Amino acid sequence: MLRYTVRRLGQLLIVTVVLSVLLFGWLRALPGGPVSALLGERATEESRARLVQQLGLDQPLYVQYWKFVQRAITGDFGVSTGVQPGTPAMEVFLQRMPATLELSVLALLLAVAVGIPLGYFAARRQGGWLDNLSITWSLIGVAVPVFFLAFLLKYVFAIEFGVLPASGRQAAGIDATHATGFFVLDGLLTTEWDAAWNALVHLLLPAVALSTIPFAVIFRLTRASVLDVVEEDYVRTARSKGLGAMVVRGRHILRNAMLPVVTTIGLQTGALLSGAVLTEQVFNIPGIGQALSLGFQRQDYAVLQVVILATAMVYVLVNLLVDLAYAAIDPRLRTR
């Protein structure tokens, strides 16, 4: 297992280097560039030339890239010029990251908690009403765009019936301590139960909207995987030996059926982070998705750099954990 982990960490390092090169080249190829973002379109040629020299943009690309890597390692991505003017870009990211992680984790938990059991029971009752209804619901979840579903949920439950909040992370009148930035966790740690409940209620609508696509993917893959595993010889052998139904289902069917599902759950992290851009805009959640949208609108290159690179790193790290979990479930992978 140690050798497998070291090999995966080496691959992670290579992926990180490639991502940094792509990000470095892409941001410098965008129209206007950082000089226009800092000085505006009406800046004089003298001021532009002076800023180009100050930023080192007149140096060879490999020198610029090396300085970019050095600053990135220390967390220095520059100062925000559009999202939160005057604030270090890394600070902008750290302030907004808890909101997105809180939303994404709840959305993933909903997708897993509903998708896996529903996929399993739908496979056991193939062709029944539960199977047909679940398949129809999963198709709707994939077909309906996240932003449309978010607007629909907001209109029905927040505006029309008023049973859930329409936007934000917490009610304005809640006096809560925010030590970690994760509002639900902060409320639980400080035993401020009203604050924790209020933050969780604010997360419900955006989390449901964000969870629809991961739910559909996890459900359909779980169903298909269970149907495949049930027909395997080792399942029939286990039943012929007189093993109990719970043992056969848990040890032989579910454990083997979960192998592709675990991988898919890790891959859905990227879908959640990308879907958060639209969801946070609809529900006015100050997360990194909203920061990314504002960064593009206002040409805030410093914030774009840290948000894109950090988000990619989170995605890569999650997939590393998924690989390790996959190896723990299936020991055969450790020798490959």
Side-chain angles (χ1 to χ4, degrees):
M1 190 67 178
L2 179 60
R3 185 182 304 172
Y4 180 83
T5 304
V6 171
R7 188 164 66 247
R8 282 291 182 265
L9 287 173
Q11 294 172 353
L12 171 63
L13 180 60
I14 296 173
V15 171
T16 304
V17 173
V18 172
L19 284 172
S20 66
V21 172
L22 291 175
L23 177 63
F24 173 81
W26 176 67
L27 287 176
R28 276 150 185 76
L30 290 176
V35 175
S36 296
L38 291 170
L39 297 180
E41 298 295 335
R42 299 184 180 181
T44 63
E45 291 298 326
E46 292 79 6
S47 61
R48 285 176 177 274
R50 187 164 54 250
L51 184 59
V52 165
Q53 187 175 14
Q54 290 176 357
L55 296 177
L57 299 177
D58 55 343
Q59 297 178 349
L61 282 177
Y62 67 89
V63 176
Q64 294 183 45
Y65 173 72
W66 179 242
K67 290 184 177 181
F68 165 75
V69 171
Q70 289 178 317
R71 291 195 300 269
I73 292 174
T74 61
D76 179 14
F77 289 89
V79 177
S80 172
T81 58
V83 179
Q84 292 177 220
T87 306
M90 179 58 77
E91 186 176 331
V92 173
F93 173 77
L94 293 177
Q95 288 174 357
R96 291 173 173 266
M97 178 185 65
T100 300
L101 286 182
E102 201 170 44
L103 172 60
S104 299
V105 168
L106 181 57
L108 188 60
L109 287 176
L110 287 174
V112 170
V114 178
I116 291 179
L118 196 59
Y120 173 74
F121 287 114
R124 287 192 59 197
R125 294 164 176 81
Q126 185 181 11
W129 68 268
L130 178 63
D131 187 27
N132 293 327
L133 183 63
S134 301
I135 291 174
T136 303
W137 180 248
S138 67
L139 288 174
I140 294 173
V142 173
V144 178
V146 172
F147 71 90
F148 176 76
L149 182 61
F151 276 118
L152 185 63
L153 291 173
K154 183 176 180 179
Y155 175 76
V156 173
F157 293 99
I159 298 175
E160 191 69 20
F161 293 105
V163 293
L164 291 171
S167 62
R169 298 185 64 194
Q170 208 165 44
I174 298 291
D175 184 18
T177 304
H178 298 146
T180 67
F182 297 92
F183 285 11
V184 177
L185 179 62
D186 287 335
L188 295 176
L189 291 176
T190 57
T191 65
E192 297 173 344
W193 311 119
D194 290 341
W197 174 252
N198 188 266
L200 182 61
V201 168
H202 275 75
L203 281 174
L204 284 180
L205 285 181
V208 169
L210 191 57
S211 68
T212 51
I213 293 179
F215 155 74
V217 174
I218 292 170
F219 160 76
R220 294 180 71 86
L221 188 60
T222 302
R223 177 183 177 275
S225 185
V226 170
L227 288 175
D228 288 340
V229 170
V230 166
E231 301 299 326
E232 293 291 340
D233 291 337
Y234 56 80
V235 175
R236 287 194 289 267
T237 302
R239 285 172 175 161
S240 66
K241 287 183 176 181
L243 295 179
M246 294 298 295
V247 175
V248 173
R249 292 170 189 170
R251 186 179 300 173
H252 296 280
I253 296 178
L254 266 180
R255 181 171 181 177
N256 289 285
M258 286 300 101
L259 292 176
V261 177
V262 168
T263 303
T264 301
I265 291 173
L267 294 174
Q268 290 306 307
T269 307
L272 288 173
L273 294 176
S274 60
V277 176
L278 300 173
T279 309
E280 288 177 2
Q281 289 290 93
V282 174
F283 291 99
N284 193 28
I285 298 175
I288 58 176
Q290 189 185 72
L292 188 64
S293 177
L294 291 174
F296 278 111
Q297 294 174 21
R298 302 172 185 178
Q299 295 185 328
D300 194 335
Y301 292 95
V303 170
L304 287 177
Q305 284 184 135
V306 65
V307 169
I308 293 173
L309 188 59
T311 302
M313 286 299 302
V314 169
Y315 182 68
V316 170
L317 285 172
V318 168
N319 279 275
L320 172 64
L321 295 177
V322 168
D323 285 342
L324 296 178
Y326 204 107
I329 296 173
D330 188 355
R332 294 172 298 177
L333 292 175
R334 303 173 198 170
T335 59
R336 296 179 184 175

